[in-house]
């Protein structure tokens, strides 16, 4: 076994690891900060942190006792000011890799603990024991979690009660995926890779659980078992009931901040395109002042958007189209007569779609992204096509993690 060594952390990596130049290469040390003198046990390219010899001025006490065990957070040990600068640097470095040097990046839009409304956890049966929580960092082991300081109170109140019921439905063959969403009308619970609960005693147990936990909706393996009341999220002047387990912005405060930036960027635009629109996070807000063409690949999401729009408060028209924008991107010719475009793709970005946008004459384009790497690639396409980056704002949608959301406005 390698003996511990004392080293200095030279910089902070993109995933939050401290990086030391040691033994002719880079040694990655989780939970170490730039400038710290630390004691580590080298294990290939990684170093196991054994102790802090000289702490960084930016080191703070983590807010969760499971930090460094649970893999959900990586940066609770970093002071807010330094943490915000690091997240800005993640965006800056990604942009620089595509030739964007010296761009002004706005301060990080911060979020706070206790605001995350959506959580995806894992449940596993080991013999008769249920493990329910998050995976350990770089491991398949599950850490039991009965409280998470990042989650809204409604979800934290549910965790220990839900753990009592899960052994009834989880199989020993595979891990179960547990998706929780706190809505304005109650918690929406979606279980995947669990027993077939559509009939017999298992269904009756599921109904009992839904009643006892006061769930708004309960789904299993992609099917709704019971909807006691529609799970509702307010998006501008409308209320959306999203599909079970579907993508929803993780934090309401972050969603509102992004929506505000988008509305300010499109200004008085009368006709706006919303690509990868989901259930209407931005389309429903845009429709308060503009005619919107909303495109999305998932049929269930569009149906949720349509229901919300029909019962919204004084919304203008939304034309909805189901379309796989990766295989069949919206063409530049189809963008004529529109004043602005918003796109919010998955982590893979929207390369093919941006190639078409770059050919268009749209005066305003707003890009929303959860991946600075693919965002930088897509922005390179747009700028090479004649657009100018007007503003870049990082949003801390996933607190204490290396993930960062961005809203970028481009003009022609």
């Amino acid at each position: 076994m390698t003996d511990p060594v004392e080293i200095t952390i030279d910089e902070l990596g993109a995933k939050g690891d401290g990086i030391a130049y040691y033994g002719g290469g880079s040694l990655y040390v989780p939970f170490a900060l730039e400038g710290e003198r630390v004691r580590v046990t080298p294990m290939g390219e990684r170093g196991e942190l054994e102790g802090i010899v000289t702490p960084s001025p930016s080191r703070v006490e983590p807010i969760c006792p499971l930090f460094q065990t649970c893999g959900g957070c990586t940066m609770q040990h970093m002071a807010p000011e330094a943490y915000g600068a690091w997240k800005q640097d993640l965006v800056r470095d990604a942009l620089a890799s595509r030739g964007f040097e010296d761009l002004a990046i706005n301060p990080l839009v911060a979020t706070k603990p206790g605001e995350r409304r959506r959580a995806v956890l894992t449940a596993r049966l080991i013999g008769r024991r249920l493990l329910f929580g998050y995976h350990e960092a770089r491991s398949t082991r599950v850490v039991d979690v009965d409280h998470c300081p990042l989650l809204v109170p409604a979800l934290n109140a549910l965790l220990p009660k839900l753990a009592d019921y899960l052994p009834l439905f989880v199989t020993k063959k595979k891990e179960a995926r547990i998706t929780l969403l706190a809505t304005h009308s109650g918690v929406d619970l979606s279980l995947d890779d669990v027993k077939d609960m559509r009939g017999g005693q298992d269904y009756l147990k599921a109904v009992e659980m839904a009643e006892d936990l006061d769930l708004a909706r309960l789904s299993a393996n992609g099917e709704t078992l019971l909807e006691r009341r529609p799970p509702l999220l307010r998006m501008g002047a409308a209320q959306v009931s999203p599909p079970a387990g579907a993508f929803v912005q993780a934090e309401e405060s972050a969603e509102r901040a992004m929506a505000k930036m988008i509305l300010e960027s499109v200004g008085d635009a009368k006709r706006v395109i919303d690509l990868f629109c989901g259930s209407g996070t931005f389309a429903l807000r845009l429709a308060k002042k503009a005619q919107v063409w909303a495109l999305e690949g998932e049929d269930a999401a569009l149906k949720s958007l349509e229901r919300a729009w029909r019962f919204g408060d004084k919304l203008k028209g939304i034309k909805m189209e189901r379309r796989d924008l990766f295989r069949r991107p919206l063409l530049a010719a189809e963008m004529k007569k529109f004043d602005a475009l918003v796109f919010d793709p998955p982590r893979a970005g929207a390369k093919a779609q941006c190639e078409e946008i770059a050919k268009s004459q749209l005066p305003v384009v707003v890009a929303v992204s959860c991946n600075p790497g693919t965002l930088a690639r897509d922005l390179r396409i747009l700028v090479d096509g004649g657009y100018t980056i007007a503003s870049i704002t990082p949003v801390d949608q996933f607190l204490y993690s290396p993930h960062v959301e961005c809203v970028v406005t481009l003009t022609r």
Side-chain angles (χ1 to χ4, degrees):
M1 182 175 177
T2 306
D3 292 330
V5 296
E6 197 172 292
I7 58 175
T8 299
I9 301 300
D10 296 293
E11 61 179 310
L12 203 57
K15 294 184 179 180
D17 294 339
I19 303 175
Y21 300 107
Y22 169 81
S26 297
L27 189 67
Y28 296 85
V29 185
F31 314 119
L33 296 175
E34 183 177 350
E36 289 187 325
R37 190 73 179 167
V38 298
R39 191 170 62 256
V40 304
T41 299
M43 304 171 67
E45 291 185 347
R46 303 195 68 80
E48 185 74 22
L49 183 64
E50 306 292 351
I52 309 293
V53 179
T54 306
S56 164
S58 298
R59 180 169 286 276
V60 296
E61 193 68 24
I63 64 171
C64 178
L66 294 178
F67 182 62
Q68 296 190 22
T69 302
C70 168
C73 293
T74 58
M75 303 305 294
Q76 287 188 17
H77 58 305
M78 195 175 192
E81 185 175 346
Y83 169 80
W86 172 67
K87 285 220 161 175
Q88 282 181 296
D89 285 343
L90 292 179
V91 179
R92 184 175 289 108
D93 291 346
L95 292 171
S97 72
R98 295 284 177 169
F100 295 110
E101 303 286 352
D102 302 322
L103 283 175
I105 298 176
N106 294 327
L108 180 74
V109 176
T111 56
K112 297 181 294 185
E115 292 187 343
R116 186 167 304 174
R117 64 185 179 186
R118 185 178 188 271
V120 181
L121 299 96
T122 298
R124 176 191 286 174
L125 276 177
I126 306 294
R128 294 185 178 182
R129 184 188 174 199
L130 177 79
L131 298 176
F132 175 45
Y134 300 109
H135 284 110
E136 290 184 13
R138 301 177 302 279
S139 173
T140 59
R141 293 191 295 268
V142 177
V143 180
D144 268 324
V145 174
D146 62 6
H147 179 272
C148 173
L150 301 190
L151 301 183
V152 296
L155 296 188
N156 271 320
L158 195 69
L159 292 182
K161 300 176 184 177
L162 179 57
D164 291 337
Y165 279 100
L166 287 176
L168 299 173
F169 310 115
V170 176
T171 74
K172 295 181 179 180
K173 295 180 180 180
K174 59 174 69 175
E175 293 181 343
R177 176 184 170 96
I178 316 297
T179 303
L180 296 165
L181 176 64
T183 77
H184 301 300
S185 55
V187 174
D188 185 17
L189 172 61
S190 179
L191 310 176
D192 289 291
D193 296 320
V194 294
K195 294 178 182 178
D196 185 346
M197 300 156 60
R198 291 175 294 180
Q201 289 298 313
D202 285 331
Y203 177 73
L204 295 177
K205 293 173 184 175
V207 171
E208 177 186 343
M209 177 178 71
E211 295 285 346
D212 188 29
L213 303 182
D214 193 27
L215 300 177
R217 179 173 63 189
L218 172 63
S219 305
N221 300 321
E223 294 189 25
T224 298
L225 295 180
L226 180 68
E227 184 171 287
R228 301 175 64 239
R229 52 190 178 272
L232 297 174
L233 299 174
R234 178 157 287 281
M235 296 179 181
Q239 293 193 95
V240 176
S241 180
F247 171 79
V248 169
Q249 301 291 347
E251 299 211 356
E252 187 175 7
S253 63
E255 177 183 288
R256 288 199 304 267
M258 291 188 289
K260 183 174 184 290
M261 285 184 269
I262 290 169
L263 291 172
E264 289 174 350
S265 293
V266 303
D268 294 327
K270 300 300 182 185
R271 292 171 59 82
V272 181
I273 300 169
D274 184 8
L275 303 178
F276 307 96
C277 67
S279 297
T281 304
F282 305 129
L284 289 165
R285 291 173 164 98
L286 289 165
K288 194 67 179 175
K289 295 196 303 180
Q291 299 285 328
V292 180
W293 187 10
L295 296 96
E296 165 62 40
E298 296 294 330
D299 185 56
L302 283 178
K303 287 179 179 176
S304 293
L305 167 57
E306 182 178 15
R307 286 193 298 269
W309 170 70
R310 289 188 181 280
F311 294 98
D313 182 20
K314 299 178 181 177
L315 298 179
K316 294 184 180 294
I318 300 181
K319 175 187 174 183
M320 300 162 213
E321 180 180 340
R322 182 181 180 185
R323 187 157 169 174
D324 185 337
L325 294 166
F326 293 104
R327 295 186 178 186
R328 193 164 65 90
L330 192 69
L331 301 178
E334 298 177 272
M335 302 177 196
K336 293 178 179 178
K337 299 182 181 179
F338 284 86
D339 309 309
L341 179 146
V342 178
F343 69 100
D344 182 12
R347 288 187 62 80
K351 181 176 182 293
Q353 183 59 76
C354 284
E355 289 170 351
E356 289 298 324
I357 297 171
K359 299 173 189 175
S360 78
Q361 294 303 311
L362 286 162
V364 177
V365 172
V366 185
V368 182
S369 172
C370 60
N371 184 341
T374 56
L375 171 65
R377 179 203 64 201
D378 292 347
L379 293 179
R380 182 77 270 165
I381 294 169
L382 295 173
V383 170
D384 288 348
Y387 281 94
T388 298
I389 296 175
S391 69
I392 305 170
T393 306
V395 180
D396 199 18
Q397 171 118 245
F398 298 96
L399 188 62
Y400 301 133
S401 82
H403 301 297
V404 58
E405 201 96 13
C406 278
V407 179
V408 183
T409 301
L410 303 101
T411 58
R412 188 188 283 282

